[in-house]
């Protein structure tokens, strides 16, 4: 009989399989604990927002808005978009829920993002970010603390050799003067600009600096530097940030060519990069966006945040040989025979009641003693708990180590909880 055809997954959108999930959990659990320790609380925003939100916040002359958004008209005729990044939705949520009135807040968000890019290693159409944002803080101390928090996250994950790039974009006013210089420079080299850059020359010339086109790199390298045009307050903010980082020994490189992809940044921008993942080298990027909240109709509120790409962090953890344990049971319950099968599930439930945190995998669906032991071994469990009809009759269970040569022992069912508690405690302290 012919098989039905299986619909294929969408290009650039990946399944994360159970066998790979342990590193994701390690990343997410570590991040969650760390954020909470720094006073950040989780915010969950919808994956879909009005298209206008992204156009206004990310900016018209960006790769994302020009060609990467998943935009559709819903059944009510509204233009909606799958979020390409997290900040816009967070800011929208902070405003529409009235969370910005004379308040400071620190929030984080995790979830899938969608960009119609060319899929390749480290670049997907659905990917996942962890976002952190602080609202209501104008000074460089919060910029520094956010960076310290990211550095601590790498350390907690066991990741090494990341490089921090740092720059200041000044204020929109100080950028105006710089913008004129850029336009003059790029206009003089008009014949060497690609199509995207020509369009941006009119709309947003700073975006040319962010071009990924290899043929553009020479011309970009010769462009005038923004850092030479910083206003005095931005310069003071930048040196304040650097002092805080120096004080805790966080190393960085000032990279005057670092301009972030989104239009709304002001002053601090930064990026953590790696040389170990090929050309997709940015694992975490962020910056200050003091003008965005008013731009979206909220009360003037300074803000700063960063986002990491989970796929790239997980790939880096793999590249650096970082392991995560997870998912293997402590005990696999083998039940053979009618009486034993009848007792099996309730025995497992009793153990779950009395042994805190025990991980028991039951052998559901029957099978011979031999085939059940095989499954027990494959499960990765430390011990098999064996109950046959004979054991069930006598009120005992066999406890067999699956990882050592220790002989199987018989334990009375009413002592089993105590026995397993002791063994698990030994393992925890070993
Ligand atoms: P890139 O320069 O690699 O395109 P970006 O500047 O567009 O990155 P941001 O919008 O700042 O990235 O997103 C923050 C992080 O999300 C990036 O540092 C990266 O780790 C990750 N990221 C961005 N786009 C993708 C993607 N298409 N697939 C996987 N991860 C991504
Ligand atoms: Mg990008």
């Amino acid at each position: 009989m012919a098989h039905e055809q299986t619909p294929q997954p969408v290009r650039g959108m990946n399944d994360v399989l159970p066998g790979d999930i342990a590193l994701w959990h390690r990343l997410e659990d570590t991040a969650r604990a760390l954020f909470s320790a720094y006073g950040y609380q989780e915010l969950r925003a919808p994956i879909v927002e009005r298209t206008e939100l992204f156009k206004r916040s990310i900016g018209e002359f960006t790769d994302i808005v020009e060609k990467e958004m998943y935009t559709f008209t819903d059944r009510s005729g509204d233009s909606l978009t799958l979020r390409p990044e997290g900040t816009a939705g967070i800011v929208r949520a902070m405003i529409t829920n009235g969370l910005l009135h004379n308040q400071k807040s620190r929030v984080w968000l995790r979830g899938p993002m969608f960009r119609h890019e060319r899929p390749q290693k480290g670049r997907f159409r659905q990917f996942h970010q962890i976002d952190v944002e602080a609202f209501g803080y104008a000074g460089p101390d919060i910029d520094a603390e956010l960076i310290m928090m990211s550095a601590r996250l790498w350390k907690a994950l066991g990741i090494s050799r990341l490089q921090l790039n740092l720059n200041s974009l000044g204020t929109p006013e100080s950028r105006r003067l710089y913008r004129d210089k850029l336009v003059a420079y790029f206009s003089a080299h008009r014949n060497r600009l690609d199509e995207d850059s020509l369009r941006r020359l009119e709309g947003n010339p700073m975006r040319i600096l962010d071009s990924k086109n290899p043929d553009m790199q020479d011309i970009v390298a010769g462009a005038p530097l923004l850092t030479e045009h910083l206003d005095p307050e931005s310069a003071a903010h930048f040196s304040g940030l650097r002092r805080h980082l120096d004080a805790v020994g966080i190393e960085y490189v000032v990279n005057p060519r670092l301009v972030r992809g989104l239009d709304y940044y002001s002053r601090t921008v930064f990026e953590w990069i790696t040389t170990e993942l090929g050309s997709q080298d940015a694992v975490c990027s962020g910056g200050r966006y003091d003008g965005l909240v008013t731009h979206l109709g909220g009360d003037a509120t300074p803000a700063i945040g960063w986002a990491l790409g989970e796929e790239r962090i997980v790939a880096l953890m793999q590249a650096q040989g970082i392991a995560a344990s997870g998912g293997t049971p402590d005990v696999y319950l083998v039940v053979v025979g009618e009486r034993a099968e009848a007792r099996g599930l309730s025995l497992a439930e009793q153990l779950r009641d009395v042994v805190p945190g025990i991980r028991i995998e039951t052998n559901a669906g029957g099978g011979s003693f031999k085939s059940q032991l095989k499954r027990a071994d494959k499960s990765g469990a430390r011990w098999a708990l064996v109950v046959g009809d004979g054991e069930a009759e006598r009120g005992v269970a066999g406890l067999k180590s699956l990882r050592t040569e220790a002989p199987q022992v018989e334990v009375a069912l009413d002592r089993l909880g105590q026995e397993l508690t002791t063994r698990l405690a030994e393992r925890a302290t070993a």
Side-chain angles (χ1 to χ4, degrees):
M1 201 178 73
H3 275 292
E4 298 289 342
Q5 278 236 333
T6 306
Q8 292 304 292
V10 178
R11 197 163 117 81
M13 304 202 180
N14 302 312
D15 304 304
V16 180
L17 301 178
D20 294 328
I21 204 72
L23 278 181
W24 287 75
H25 284 169
R26 176 159 174 190
L27 166 57
E28 289 160 13
D29 295 347
T30 308
R32 184 180 290 121
L34 189 75
F35 297 158
S36 157
Y38 276 79
Y40 287 74
Q41 289 183 305
E42 185 179 8
L43 184 155
R44 297 186 183 178
I47 287 171
V48 178
E49 297 273 358
R50 293 178 182 280
T51 304
E52 181 206 352
L53 172 68
F54 301 116
K55 284 197 175 160
R56 271 172 58 188
S57 60
I58 298 170
E60 301 266 0
F61 294 94
T62 55
D63 280 346
I64 293 180
V65 170
E66 278 177 348
K67 49 195 180 196
E68 295 173 359
M69 295 207 299
Y70 281 89
T71 296
F72 61 97
T73 307
D74 79 354
R75 289 172 194 275
S76 322
D78 293 325
S79 178
L80 306 180
T81 294
L82 300 186
R83 64 180 178 203
E85 54 97 45
T87 305
I90 296 175
V91 172
R92 195 274 308 139
M94 297 301 285
I95 298 173
T96 57
N97 291 288
L99 299 178
L100 294 177
H101 296 301
N102 306 315
Q103 295 176 54
K104 297 183 193 295
S105 32
R106 294 165 150 114
V107 297
W108 65 273
L109 173 144
R110 189 208 91 85
M113 307 293 158
F114 302 85
R115 297 183 193 176
H116 197 273
E117 304 195 66
R118 190 168 67 79
Q120 52 198 290
K121 186 170 176 267
R123 193 174 292 287
F124 311 103
R125 290 181 173 172
Q126 175 177 321
F127 60 100
H128 297 79
Q129 285 186 342
I130 299 179
D131 253 278
V132 205
E133 319 279 351
F135 294 95
Y137 302 86
D141 46 359
I142 197 82
D143 306 31
E145 192 190 66
L146 274 163
I147 291 174
M148 290 169 193
M149 192 164 77
S150 61
R152 190 173 292 276
L153 179 58
W154 315 142
K155 203 166 152 199
L157 293 171
I159 293 174
S160 47
R161 299 188 293 279
L162 282 180
Q163 192 196 68
L164 175 62
N165 278 3
L166 209 58
N167 193 19
S168 175
L169 298 182
T171 61
E173 297 75 48
S174 71
R175 278 208 294 273
R176 222 156 280 151
L177 176 70
Y178 173 65
R179 188 194 138 107
D180 295 343
K181 301 219 163 177
L182 260 193
V183 172
Y185 170 81
F186 283 123
S187 301
H189 297 87
R190 187 176 265 279
N191 56 333
R192 291 176 55 200
L193 298 185
D194 64 10
E195 197 187 312
D196 280 343
S197 302
L198 278 173
R199 196 171 53 243
R200 283 168 191 170
L201 188 55
E202 318 300 329
N204 187 351
M206 274 188 60
R207 302 271 326 146
I208 301 177
L209 299 176
D210 205 28
S211 168
K212 296 243 179 345
N213 183 350
D215 298 338
M216 291 281 304
Q217 297 315 307
D218 277 359
I219 180 93
V220 165
L225 295 180
L226 175 60
T227 19
E228 289 157 9
H229 301 274
L230 274 192
D231 56 286
E233 284 89 21
S234 295
H237 188 102
F238 196 38
S239 56
L241 165 61
R242 293 168 58 176
R243 265 198 307 279
H244 286 302
L245 294 179
D246 292 340
V248 296
I250 292 182
E251 287 174 28
Y252 53 84
V253 176
V254 175
N255 175 359
R257 311 239 166 247
L258 178 65
V259 291
R260 300 277 315 116
L262 318 180
D263 273 356
Y264 51 65
Y265 285 103
S266 56
R267 295 198 172 145
T268 309
V269 288
F270 58 92
E271 204 158 71
W272 286 97
I273 58 174
T274 171
T275 54
E276 294 165 56
L277 292 180
S279 50
Q280 269 46 260
D281 60 357
V283 295
C284 172
S285 20
R288 179 167 277 283
Y289 51 93
D290 290 343
L292 181 62
V293 177
T294 28
H295 183 65
L296 290 177
D299 300 336
T301 309
I304 175 167
W306 55 251
L308 65 78
E310 289 198 70
E311 280 80 359
R312 292 186 195 174
I313 294 289
V314 167
L316 188 60
M317 290 167 80
Q318 282 163 340
Q320 298 194 351
I322 295 165
S325 63
T328 54
D330 301 309
V331 169
Y332 190 100
L333 181 60
V334 171
V335 280
V336 192
E338 232 171 86
R339 276 194 72 159
E341 270 182 40
R343 299 276 321 261
L345 274 189
S346 54
L347 173 61
E349 286 300 307
Q350 280 161 22
L351 290 175
R352 291 181 179 114
D353 283 339
V354 299
V355 186
I358 192 168
R359 291 174 298 189
I360 307 181
E361 188 170 323
T362 59
N363 184 85
S368 69
F369 179 68
K370 202 174 149 199
S371 70
Q372 291 195 36
L373 261 193
K374 245 191 206 158
R375 271 181 247 153
D377 192 47
K378 213 178 139 201
S379 76
R382 294 277 305 268
W383 300 288
L385 194 60
V386 182
V387 185
D389 281 344
E391 281 91 356
E393 189 112 2
R394 281 180 288 126
V396 297
L399 190 55
K400 177 181 166 55
S401 170
L402 296 169
R403 309 293 149 205
T404 70
E405 298 300 315
Q408 180 171 327
V409 293
E410 222 167 60
V411 184
L413 290 184
D414 56 10
R415 275 202 49 246
L416 197 52
Q418 189 51 52
E419 175 69 23
L420 286 170
T421 305
T422 310
R423 289 189 179 213
L424 288 178
E426 277 166 12
R427 188 199 56 180
T429 54

